[in-house]
Amino acid sequence: MKSCTIYSILLIVWCCSLFSGIGYTYPAQSLEGRGFFDSLNVSLEGIWPFTWATEVEGDSLRKLAFLGCGGGVFILDVSDSSNPQVISDKITARDIIRDCYYSYDDQRLYVAAGYDGMQVWSIADPVNPAKILSYETRGPAHGIFALNNYVYVACFDSGLSIVDVSNPNSPYEIGHLTARTRTYKIKVVGDYAYLGEAFGGIFRVINVSNPGAPYEVGYCHPNCSKVDGVEVFGGYAFLACNDGGFKVIDVLDPSNPVVVDTLSTLSLTMGIALSGDRQYAYTAERNAGIRVINISDPTNVYTEGVLSLSPYYVFDVAAYGRTVLAAAAIFAVVNASNPSAPWLIGLNRYPPGNHQVIRTQGNYLYIGTQGSLRILDITDVLNPTEVGVYLLPQRDTNLKGLDVSGNYVFLGRSDGVFQILDITDPTNPRPLGSYSPCGTIEDLVVSGDYCYMVDYNSYDLTIMDISDVNNPTLIATFTLPDYNSSGIMVLGNYAYIANQFDGLYIVDITDPSNPFLVSQFNPGPGFARQLDISGDYCYLTKSPYGVKIIDISNPNNPFLVGEYGTFDSWDVVYREGTIYVTDGTRGVKMADVTDPANPVEIGYYNSSYDSVKFARKLTMNDSFPGYFFVVYYRKGLHIYKNLLYAVEEKKTALDIDGENIITVLPNPASKRVIFNIPPMKGTGFLEIFDSAGRFVRRLTIPENQRQHTEVIWNGRDEKGNKVRSGVYFGKSGGTTVKFLFVR
């Protein structure tokens, strides 16, 4: 009962902290510096954010499709509808693409990118789309429409925003209307904007004849949780109403919109489009597929046909003529010329699924997604480029186990298959040997001639002999005390396993064919997910209690020495005295663990909260010092830089001669810092800088000192203010010392 109470309190505190920040804009340090993001000593340098396809628009004249996939938009050529091809991946954002609108008149694509605001792109050259402008909307952009020189944005928790884009170099909000609840989708026809909102599914009619002063003229409740799509024609609005099915609303009298017909659907209705002749509506029904609805009499609509795209979920549809384009996690083209029997013309499985795991070797990143392995070239680390793809047999197979060694990549699949690929040519990964069944593989690691795997849904540690890559052989299956193991590392003769409920297992693998449990240590409440090992310490994520630092110098007797508090810690990597942590619902964090008993947070990059796009796994590459690579479940790959790495590199002494160095005691220090200064001639100064390289304080060194001298700093800046806890640098002449100061 006590633990339940603690969890309840934590949940309440967490929720309050989440919603307290809604509606405010924070500074960001890189990649355009816009949106609801906050950072300290970390910059976002590059992205490859493509995941599930959930939004779609079309250009019927040039036979193009615009497919919103996670945090980017693929452009596809559908001139051969049986073989649609991706021709561009240049449209990207820091947040998930929530909606797109295409204007035929000026060949522009308008993109609603959630917390990253809105974007406008020229599609004159669809292979090389050109960004015209970005704009930081007052709230997360969830729906978008454009008419003349105005862009109408449904801003989720901030209502309707009307942006004047007549001058692309200086867009500005000309009008705004507060939301009744959360605003999802928008359509504009003539002098009226039609808004679909949530929390009871409110449908609103807004007069926008004067874009600078929009006002509501009417509304109704279509009896649903939210309105996910709006189309308007002939005095009627047609709605995709999520759990409320398909609705028709009479809007001939804008002050009194009335529901005139309802059609129940088989699953959540998430998108809507109208046929070219406006005789039919096509709805995206998540699990159930695409529905063809006869709307020739809007007061008496009925279903003519349904096409299942199982196992793919259908999230959105667009249409031209009687052809339907579907964002169904993948991309599909459907012929609906016979309304009672729509049929699938073409399918493109190229869009990645949700990102699950990431590893790196040389100039390449290897990303495991739902349904595929992606290989990205990071020679230009700021502009990652996909060079290779390996599609798994089934799209719904998760690829969570992944490691790279030499010319081989090792895959652990949720369908129980362990697989080896040859990546001698990264552009053409080739399958070699495989073994099944291995259970639901959650993680794996390669060490020497062996691969060690854990299964989330069973008690097993599985060990494979991979000396013959064409014929991997099972040599041991070891039963662990509990199931739900999710992370594994191998160092020396031991395997270290993160178990959700039991914390840390240490298994002796001196003889891989005969493993045995050495010890089990649970450092406290929470769910263990991943871990890293360095020297005598194990860094174990324990959500929602952060990272536990465990002394493993004696594997028979591990014990807790320190902890770094984050809420939803998921993955952790140690490098040179710093741990890098993915904090699931927020982003990434860094902590200095030079003193394992007293970790100090030194940096973070906080993304806006959304439970579907959490930060999942993290990796680092010694060929790219200072950078770390993170995959988000729905936002894809984000590349960050530790700005302290550049600061420290810049401030490090180049030519330190023997004893001619500065030392600091204690380290970490509290209340006061004692610098031991070597002998030097003349009057000197010791300057203190913070972790961002900003000047903090200058201290005088006694004149003509002949021996080591102590200089004391009281933890205050030049103005006498107390400084914050963190990493600092003391510098005099050509020498620098790094230290932690804790208040």
Side-chain angles (χ1 to χ4, degrees):
M1 179 66 70
K2 183 177 180 181
S3 62
C4 292
T5 303
I6 293 173
Y7 276 114
S8 299
I9 294 172
L10 283 170
L11 181 61
I12 293 169
V13 172
W14 177 53
C15 291
C16 291
S17 68
L18 291 178
F19 290 106
S20 65
I22 289 177
Y24 293 91
T25 302
Y26 302 98
Q29 295 184 353
S30 185
L31 211 69
E32 302 178 45
R34 302 171 24 258
F36 292 68
F37 301 85
D38 186 17
S39 61
L40 172 68
N41 297 328
V42 178
S43 62
L44 178 60
E45 299 290 323
I47 52 179
W48 195 82
F50 300 96
T51 60
W52 272 11
T54 57
E55 303 294 330
V56 64
E57 264 282 74
D59 178 341
S60 60
L61 300 178
R62 295 187 291 171
K63 297 297 186 290
L64 299 173
F66 307 101
L67 197 64
C69 299
V73 177
F74 286 130
I75 301 179
L76 293 93
D77 182 337
V78 292
S79 53
D80 178 359
S81 54
S82 65
N83 186 31
Q85 294 295 311
V86 174
I87 59 175
S88 173
D89 65 352
K90 293 181 171 58
I91 300 176
T92 61
R94 288 181 296 173
D95 199 9
I96 295 175
I97 305 301
R98 299 294 186 177
D99 196 16
C100 296
Y101 172 73
Y102 179 72
S103 169
Y104 291 91
D105 295 337
D106 50 18
Q107 296 184 335
R108 290 182 175 183
L109 184 70
Y110 298 82
V111 178
Y115 286 94
D116 206 20
M118 77 166 199
Q119 302 176 1
V120 182
W121 292 76
S122 169
I123 314 295
D125 177 0
V127 177
N128 295 292
K131 183 184 284 188
I132 296 172
L133 65 89
S134 297
Y135 182 76
E136 179 183 334
T137 49
R138 66 165 57 222
H142 264 242
I144 196 163
F145 193 87
L147 188 63
N148 300 322
N149 286 319
Y150 301 109
V151 181
Y152 301 81
V153 186
C155 289
F156 193 52
D157 54 3
S158 301
L160 169 63
S161 176
I162 304 176
V163 182
D164 187 317
V165 295
S166 55
N167 179 359
N169 295 315
S170 184
Y172 65 96
E173 183 183 88
I174 190 174
H176 171 253
L177 184 69
T178 303
R180 281 178 173 267
T181 60
R182 288 183 171 172
T183 309
Y184 277 83
K185 297 296 180 182
I186 183 168
K187 190 79 172 183
V188 180
V189 178
D191 289 338
Y192 296 99
Y194 303 89
L195 292 179
E197 297 189 347
F199 296 145
I202 302 174
F203 173 75
R204 305 174 69 192
V205 183
I206 312 299
N207 188 307
V208 292
S209 57
N210 177 3
Y215 62 94
E216 181 182 292
V217 295
Y219 73 94
C220 68
H221 294 275
N223 190 25
C224 61
S225 62
K226 62 178 178 178
V227 178
D228 269 330
V230 180
E231 291 289 345
V232 179
F233 175 73
Y236 294 93
F238 305 92
L239 310 183
C241 286
N242 199 266
D243 57 351
F246 174 76
K247 307 280 186 179
V248 184
I249 298 181
D250 185 329
V251 292
L252 287 171
D253 178 0
S255 65
N256 185 34
V258 178
V259 176
V260 293
D261 206 358
T262 296
L263 185 66
S264 298
T265 53
L266 297 174
S267 184
L268 300 179
T269 308
M270 306 184 72
I272 186 171
L274 302 183
S275 63
D277 58 9
R278 302 301 193 261
Q279 295 298 298
Y280 297 93
Y282 307 111
T283 54
E285 292 185 27
R286 192 174 163 91
N287 309 48
I290 296 171
R291 182 179 298 269
V292 182
I293 303 170
N294 190 309
I295 58 170
S296 55
D297 178 359
T299 64
N300 185 29
V301 300
Y302 58 92
T303 297
E304 291 218 11
V306 177
L307 175 66
S308 171
L309 293 181
S310 180
Y312 308 116
Y313 289 166
V314 185
F315 297 103
D316 193 24
V317 287
Y320 53 81
R322 297 284 180 89
T323 298
V324 183
L325 310 177
I330 45 78
F331 175 71
V333 183
V334 173
N335 187 320
S337 57
N338 180 354
S340 63
W343 57 283
L344 181 66
I345 309 173
L347 198 67
N348 187 306
R349 269 196 56 194
Y350 179 79
N354 293 328
H355 289 213
Q356 307 280 356
V357 64
I358 183 170
R359 294 289 183 266
T360 183
Q361 178 179 268
N363 290 333
Y364 296 96
L365 292 176
Y366 301 85
I367 301 174
T369 78
Q370 185 184 48
S372 67
L373 170 73
R374 324 299 287 210
I375 304 177
L376 275 65
D377 187 325
I378 53 171
T379 304
D380 178 358
V381 70
L382 305 186
N383 296 289
T385 304
E386 184 175 89
V387 294
V389 178
Y390 181 76
L391 297 179
L392 303 182
Q394 300 297 325
R395 174 54 187 254
D396 57 354
T397 300
N398 286 316
L399 179 53
K400 295 184 179 180
L402 177 63
D403 205 358
V404 185
S405 180
N407 291 325
Y408 306 104
V409 61
F410 302 86
L411 310 180
R413 297 166 22 186
S414 63
D415 60 0
V417 176
F418 168 68
Q419 187 171 10
I420 303 174
L421 304 181
D422 185 326
I423 52 169
T424 304
D425 176 7
T427 66
N428 184 33
R430 296 187 302 106
L432 299 173
S434 63
Y435 183 90
S436 62
C438 293
T440 306
I441 303 171
E442 185 74 13
D443 197 12
L444 62 78
V445 63
V446 170
S447 180
D449 288 336
Y450 300 98
C451 182
Y452 303 83
M453 300 180 287
V454 288
D455 181 343
Y456 189 76
N457 293 321
S458 80
Y459 294 81
D460 293 341
L461 164 65
T462 301
I463 304 177
M464 305 290 301
D465 185 325
I466 55 172
S467 54
D468 179 357
V469 293
N470 291 295
N471 186 33
T473 305
L474 176 68
I475 63 166
T477 300
F478 177 67
T479 301
L480 298 166
D482 200 356
Y483 63 98
N484 292 146
S485 292
S486 57
I488 183 169
M489 293 287 294
V490 168
L491 185 65
N493 293 325
Y494 298 97
Y496 302 85
I497 298 169
N499 180 272
Q500 180 169 333
F501 300 108
D502 281 355
L504 175 67
Y505 296 141
I506 302 179
V507 179
D508 190 308
I509 52 170
T510 305
D511 177 3
S513 64
N514 186 33
F516 62 91
L517 184 67
V518 175
S519 61
Q520 180 266 328
F521 176 70
N522 196 339
F527 304 112
R529 286 172 170 161
Q530 286 294 326
L531 72 170
D532 199 7
I533 307 290
S534 180
D536 291 337
Y537 299 102
C538 170
Y539 303 90
L540 179 73
T541 62
K542 262 281 198 170
S543 177
Y545 296 95
V547 179
K548 307 294 184 178
I549 304 176
I550 303 168
D551 188 313
I552 54 171
S553 55
N554 179 1
N556 293 285
N557 186 33
F559 61 92
L560 182 68
V561 294
E563 47 193 309
Y564 166 58
T566 65
F567 183 78
D568 192 19
S569 52
W570 191 273
D571 197 11
V572 59
V573 172
Y574 172 92
R575 279 293 190 282
E576 300 177 357
T578 300
I579 54 172
Y580 299 80
V581 184
T582 56
D583 189 3
T585 53
R586 278 299 182 183
V588 295
K589 297 181 180 294
M590 303 187 307
D592 189 304
V593 291
T594 306
D595 176 7
N598 188 30
V600 177
E601 183 171 288
I602 57 175
Y604 54 81
Y605 193 100
N606 286 345
S607 299
S608 50
Y609 169 74
D610 191 326
S611 61
V612 302
K613 60 193 181 191
F614 62 87
R616 195 171 179 94
K617 295 293 182 67
L618 182 152
T619 192
M620 301 187 75
N621 187 321
D622 292 337
S623 298
F624 300 91
Y627 291 92
F628 52 108
F629 308 89
V630 177
V631 287
Y632 288 76
Y633 190 65
R634 281 282 308 280
K635 293 199 303 180
L637 169 69
H638 286 214
I639 301 174
Y640 296 98
K641 186 175 184 181
N642 174 1
L643 298 178
L644 296 181
Y645 188 91
V647 170
E648 191 169 353
E649 183 181 58
K650 179 176 64 177
K651 292 182 176 299
T652 299
L654 298 177
D655 297 305
I656 299 176
D657 181 19
E659 294 298 318
N660 190 33
I661 60 174
I662 300 173
T663 58
V664 60
L665 290 172
N667 191 4
S670 178
K671 295 184 180 179
R672 68 174 190 165
V673 184
I674 302 173
F675 298 95
N676 193 297
I677 312 296
M680 59 180 61
K681 295 180 180 180
T683 301
F685 299 98
L686 174 75
E687 294 181 317
I688 298 172
F689 298 86
D690 68 12
S691 57
R694 295 181 290 256
F695 173 76
V696 175
R697 182 80 178 271
R698 174 178 287 185
L699 304 173
T700 301
I701 299 173
E703 185 177 356
N704 294 323
Q705 65 172 87
R706 300 289 182 183
Q707 57 187 350
H708 282 75
T709 301
E710 289 185 350
V711 174
I712 298 175
W713 177 49
N714 61 3
R716 295 179 181 270
D717 62 18
E718 287 285 282
K719 297 180 180 179
N721 300 316
K722 292 181 179 180
V723 301
R724 298 194 312 172
S725 298
V727 174
Y728 291 85
F729 299 89
K731 181 178 181 181
S732 181
T735 62
T736 300
V737 62
K738 173 184 175 182
F739 63 96
L740 283 174
F741 182 77
V742 182
R743 288 182 58 180

